[in-house]
C-alpha cells in the first residue's frame, strides 16, 4: 500500500482530523494571500514572508522559521510512490496556499507520486470546520485525482508576479475541471486598489459599518465573514484593513 501524506491548510483541521485516516500530516501554516510574496528562490520568499509578518503582526521571524518553513521542507522530502492528499477549501486564502503547495510539489515530486484534492462539498464560511468526523471521512473517500498539477502550479507564479491577465486565463482554462478557481481569482483581482476604488474588501467593510451603524470590530468582522466568505480572511487580515479604514486622519 502506498504511503499517505495529508497536506492541510492550517492547524484547526489538524485538531479535528479523523484518527482513522492513515498517513503523515503536514500543515501549511501560511497566509500567502496577505502581504509580500517576493522572492525567486524559496529562501528569498521565506525571508520576505518572515519580514512582512513581523512588521505587520509582530510575529517573531524565528517563529516563522521554526513553525512554518519546516512544514514546507517536509513537502519537499515526500517519498516516491506515495499518495499526496491536499485538503484545501475554495476561498482565496486557501486557494493561494493551494497554488503554492502545488508549485512546490510540481518541482519536487516524481511521476510515481499521485496527488489528490479534497474539498468540502459546498463552499461556506465554515469550510472544513463545519464538518464532523464522518463527513471528513466521506469527502476523503471521494477525493479527486489532480491531473493538472502543472497548471495549478502556474497559478502561483502568476499570483506572485501580480499578472492578472495570466491568472484569469489560467483559471478559465481550468474551469471545466476546477470551477472553484475562477471565483477566487476574480475576488483577488477585485480586491486590488485602483485610482477609483480602495478594493472590494475595503468597500465591503465600509458598507457593513454603515449598515450596522457601528465601528466595533467584532460584529463588523462576523458580518464580513458572511458577506465575503470567498476571501476566507481571518480576524488578523480583516483587522488590518479595519484599522486602516478607521485610522485617524492628520
Amino acid at each position: 500500500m502506498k504511503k499517505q501524506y495529508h497536506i492541510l491548510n492550517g492547524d484547526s483541521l489538524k485538531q479535528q482530523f479523523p484518527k482513522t485516516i492513515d498517513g503523515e500530516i503536514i500543515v501549511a501554516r501560511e497566509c500567502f494571500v496577505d502581504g509580500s510574496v517576493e522572492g525567486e528562490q524559496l529562501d528569498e520568499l521565506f525571508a520576505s514572508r518572515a519580514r512582512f509578518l513581523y512588521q505587520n503582526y509582530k510575529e517573531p521571524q524565528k517563529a516563522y522559521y521554526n513553525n512554518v518553513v519546516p512544514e514546507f521542507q517536509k513537502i519537499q522530502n515526500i517519498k516516491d510512490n506515495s499518495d499526496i492528499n491536499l485538503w484545501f477549501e475554495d476561498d482565496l486564502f486557501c486557494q493561494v496556499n493551494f497554488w503554492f503547495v502545488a508549485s512546490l510539489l510540481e518541482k519536487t515530486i516524481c511521476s510515481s507520486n499521485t496527488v489528490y484534492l479534497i474539498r468540502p462539498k459546498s463552499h461556506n464560511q465554515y469550510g472544513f470546520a463545519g464538518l464532523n468526523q464522518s463527513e471528513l471521512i466521506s469527502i476523503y473517500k471521494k477525493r479527486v485525482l489532480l491531473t493538472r498539477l502543472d497548471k495549478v502550479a502556474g497559478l502561483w507564479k502568476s499570483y506572485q508576479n501580480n499578472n492578472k491577465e495570466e491568472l484569469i486565463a489560467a483559471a478559465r482554462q481550468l474551469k471545466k475541471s476546477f470551477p472553484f478557481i475562477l471565483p477566487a481569482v476574480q475576488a483577488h483581482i477585485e480586491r486590488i486598489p485602483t485610482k477609483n476604488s480602495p478594493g472590494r474588501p475595503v468597500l465591503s467593510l465600509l458598507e457593513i459599518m454603515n449598515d450596522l451603524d457601528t465601528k466595533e470590530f467584532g460584529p463588523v468582522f462576523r458580518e464580513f465573514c458572511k458577506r465575503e466568505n470567498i476571501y476566507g480572511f481571518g480576524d488578523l487580515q480583516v483587522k488590518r484593513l479595519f484599522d486602516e479604514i478607521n485610522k485617524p486622519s492628520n
Side-chain angles (χ1 to χ4, degrees), residues 8-41:
L8 315 183
N9 194 58
D11 285 286
S12 59
L13 178 55
K14 181 181 180 181
Q15 292 168 5
Q16 68 185 105
F17 198 77
K19 290 183 171 56
T20 54
I21 298 179
D22 181 57
E24 180 178 335
I25 292 176
I26 301 172
V27 182
R29 296 189 176 110
E30 248 292 3
C31 54
F32 288 119
V33 73
D34 185 15
S36 172
V37 288
E38 295 176 356
E40 282 296 313
Q41 304 301 318

Side-chain angles (χ1 to χ4, degrees), residues 166-235:
E166 280 187 7
L167 266 178
I168 283 286
R172 285 176 177 156
Q173 285 180 351
L174 291 164
K175 186 177 179 180
K176 186 174 180 181
S177 301
F178 307 111
F180 55 88
I181 290 178
L182 185 55
V185 167
Q186 289 171 328
H188 167 59
I189 291 170
E190 289 169 5
R191 75 180 173 135
I192 299 171
T194 66
K195 65 178 183 179
N196 298 318
S197 170
R200 175 175 161 183
V202 171
L203 288 175
S204 185
L205 284 171
L206 289 167
E207 184 178 88
I208 289 167
M209 285 189 285
N210 183 64
D211 290 349
L212 301 184
D213 191 23
T214 184
K215 288 188 177 181
E216 185 182 344
F217 178 68
V220 170
F221 172 66
R222 288 190 291 273
E223 185 62 23
F224 182 89
C225 291
K226 291 177 187 175
R227 296 188 191 184
E228 300 289 0
N229 61 63
I230 187 62
Y231 286 104
F233 289 168
D235 57 346

Side-chain angles (χ1 to χ4, degrees), residues 8 38 65 71 73-74 108 110 117 144 149 151 168 176 190 197 207 222:
L8 315 183
E38 295 176 356
Y65 284 97
E71 297 298 298
Q73 290 171 336
K74 289 178 186 177
T108 57
C110 72
L117 178 61
V144 175
L149 186 66
K151 297 294 185 183
I168 283 286
K176 186 174 180 181
E190 289 169 5
S197 170
E207 184 178 88
R222 288 190 291 273

Side-chain angles (χ1 to χ4, degrees), residues 72-88:
F72 291 132
Q73 290 171 336
K74 289 178 186 177
I75 294 175
Q76 294 176 290
N77 295 328
I78 285 176
K79 295 179 180 177
D80 297 346
N81 196 34
S82 299
D83 281 349
I84 305 166
N85 303 287
L86 308 182
W87 296 70
F88 289 88

Side-chain angles (χ1 to χ4, degrees), residues 32-33 91-101 156 159:
F32 288 119
V33 73
D91 59 78
L92 183 62
F93 187 116
C94 269
Q95 282 298 297
V96 178
N97 285 359
F98 168 49
W99 305 339
F100 173 76
V101 168
W156 166 254
Y159 176 83

